């Protein structure tokens, strides 16, 4: 009998209203997942033996002294990591980038332009602009934004208001999305998550809801 937990994703919860939805989308893609708090004990993190890790969004600000942080071990396990919204921001800050509050806050629908033909977003688009660049219709919900990237990262998407709407260090398979791929308002969100799960992490579809 096939072990349905042979491949599994650990979702670290930073308090997002969408965290349960992330887990559902992962399971809809055929991959087992479990949610744990952001301050998971290191022994539990190690014993879970995830294939990849997703950092959820959340209401906190990375710029706050009380801002939640992922365990440093997350970035030292040699595993693919996807940060969503707050998850992207804490990834950037913890790895040496800079996050700051923005006067151009984005809440709701936005259109992003994919850049750089990243492994995560390549050939995933809703439409193209007059110059042939791929565009994605997404759902944003953020006040802070990444102002400068950590070493080794590149911007893989932008909006008119945000030059870094998504980022990637493809050598380490670290990715960050300023938008929410788990909600239906992000029309290609399921494809983006499936790309992360199946092609970047390498998970098989072993789980059925």
């Amino acid at each position: 009998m096939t072990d349905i937990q042979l491949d599994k994703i650990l979702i670290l919860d930073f308090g997002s209203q969408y965290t349960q939805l992330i887990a559902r989308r992962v399971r809809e893609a055929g991959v087992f997942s479990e949610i744990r708090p952001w301050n998971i004990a290191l022994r539990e993190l190690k014993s879970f033996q995830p294939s990849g890790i997703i950092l959820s969004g959340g209401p906190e600000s990375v710029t706050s002294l009380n801002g939640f942080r992922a365990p440093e071990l997350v970035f030292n396990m040699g595993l693919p990591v996807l940060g969503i919204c707050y998850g992207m921001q804490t990834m950037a800050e913890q790895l040496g980038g800079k996050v700051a509050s923005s006067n151009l806050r984005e809440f709701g629908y936005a259109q992003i332009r994919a850049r750089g033909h990243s492994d995560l977003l390549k050939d995933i688009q809703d439409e193209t602009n007059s110059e042939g660049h791929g565009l994605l219709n997404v759902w944003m919900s953020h006040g802070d934004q990444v102002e400068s990237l950590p070493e080794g990262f590149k911007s893989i998407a932008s909006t008119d208001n945000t030059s870094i709407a998504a980022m990637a260090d493809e050598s380490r398979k670290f990715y960050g999305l300023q938008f929410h791929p788990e909600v239906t308002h992000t029309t290609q969100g399921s494809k983006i998550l499936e790309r992360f799960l199946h092609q970047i992490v390498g998970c098989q579809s072993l789980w059925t809801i």
Side-chain angles (χ1 to χ4, degrees), residues 20-190:
Q20 292 289 342
L21 188 54
I22 297 172
R24 179 173 180 82
R25 296 290 182 245
V26 172
R27 293 166 187 162
E28 286 175 346
V31 180
F32 180 82
S33 67
E34 288 190 4
I35 298 169
R36 295 288 188 274
W38 62 273
N39 58 348
I40 183 174
L42 296 185
R43 64 181 180 278
E44 185 178 3
L45 176 56
K46 293 175 182 177
S47 66
F48 188 83
Q49 297 184 314
S51 306
I53 297 172
I54 295 177
L55 309 178
S56 85
E60 296 292 318
S61 172
V62 171
T63 63
S64 167
L65 293 176
N66 296 322
F68 301 156
R69 300 292 186 269
E72 292 294 337
L73 180 61
V74 164
F75 306 113
N76 294 309
M77 297 177 75
L79 299 175
V81 181
L82 174 64
I84 297 173
C85 202
Y86 183 91
M88 167 176 161
Q89 293 165 9
T90 197
M91 176 190 291
E93 192 268 347
Q94 290 184 242
L95 295 178
K98 182 180 179 182
V99 176
S101 296
S102 172
N103 293 326
L104 298 172
R105 301 187 174 198
E106 294 179 301
F107 294 95
Y109 168 80
Q111 191 169 67
I112 68 168
R113 172 189 161 187
R115 295 179 174 273
H117 302 286
S118 66
D119 290 342
L120 184 64
L121 300 180
K122 184 179 180 181
D123 298 326
I124 298 178
Q125 59 194 34
D126 288 299
E127 55 187 281
T128 56
N129 62 16
S130 58
E131 298 174 326
H133 301 131
L135 302 175
L136 288 163
N137 300 323
V138 304
W139 190 259
M140 292 279 200
S141 178
H142 69 99
D144 296 344
Q145 64 183 32
V146 177
E147 283 197 340
S148 62
L149 292 165
E151 184 177 352
F153 279 79
K154 64 181 180 181
S155 174
I156 60 171
S158 62
T159 69
D160 291 340
N161 296 328
T162 306
S163 61
I164 307 172
M167 65 181 193
D169 178 342
E170 301 206 277
S171 65
R172 289 188 285 179
K173 298 185 178 181
F174 291 169
Y175 294 88
L177 302 174
Q178 191 56 77
F179 58 91
H180 290 275
E182 69 274 23
V183 302
T184 55
H185 299 78
T186 299
T187 50
Q188 300 296 325
S190 292

